[in-house]
Structures are given as C-alpha cells and as structure tokens.
Amino acid sequence: DCLVHLAADGRPSADFLADVLPNNIVATQQVLEAARRAGVRRVVFASSNHTQHGETMAGGSPGGFDLQRLEALGGPGSVRISDPLGRAGPDSFYGVSKLCGEGLGY
C-alpha cells in the first residue's frame, strides 16, 4: 500500500500560527501517524522548491525568485550548503512547513 500526500496551504499571505502550523505541519504529522497505524509501508510526500531558494527571493517576497540576485550571488553554483541536501533555505512559512514535513517523514 502507498499513500500520496500533496496537500498544503501555500498562500504567501498565510499566517503561520493560524494557518500554516495546523494545516501543513500538524496535519502532515496526523497523516503520517494514521498511515503508520494503518500499516501503510510507503508514503510519498510532495515537498516544494520553496524549501530551497530563500537566498534568491525577489525583494524578500515569499515565493518570488530573482535571477539577478542569484547571479549577484555568483550563479547557481555559488549557493552554499546549509543542509545535507545543499539547499539555501526556505523562502516562506510554506517552505518551512514543507521542510518540517520532510523531517517528520524521514
């Protein structure tokens, strides 16, 4: 058996405590726990590119990507390792919640 988890609140305007924490992080934990109790052997969790490009946000805008900022940092190869997967960090609370989901399922 396999469970595919795609759901999340990805709105840049979403409030962390009121929206992102319960809808993305707590709900993901509940999905994983329910899968464990049901004996599901594999869970496919959809993460997001928003976990990776915090260094290249357009003007600090969550979800925005600024190619010029990336070039000013030295191009794609210059983004420094900040975790074992080499990501530069999340760009929004949504990105943070997806990182939490990855950690919960690890």
Side-chain angles (χ1 to χ4, degrees):
D1 291 334
C2 180
L3 182 143
V4 178
H5 179 24
L6 305 173
D9 186 342
R11 295 173 297 136
S13 63
D15 180 78
F16 183 76
L17 293 177
D19 302 315
V20 177
L21 181 62
N23 297 334
N24 296 7
I25 298 171
V26 174
T28 295
Q29 188 277 325
Q30 291 170 340
V31 165
L32 294 172
E33 179 59 22
R36 184 191 67 77
R37 278 193 241 125
V40 175
R41 297 187 59 188
R42 181 171 298 196
V43 175
V44 177
F45 174 74
S47 191
S48 171
N49 67 320
H50 292 278
T51 64
Q52 303 176 35
H53 60 80
E55 293 289 326
T56 58
M57 289 187 331
S61 171
F65 183 79
D66 186 341
L67 187 58
Q68 288 179 326
R69 182 162 179 178
L70 178 61
E71 292 301 323
L73 289 168
S78 69
V79 178
R80 300 291 174 239
I81 295 174
S82 61
D83 79 1
L85 298 177
R87 298 175 291 202
D91 67 359
S92 60
F93 288 138
Y94 168 71
V96 169
S97 75
K98 286 298 191 172
L99 282 175
C100 288
E102 290 177 16
L104 288 168
Y106 191 53

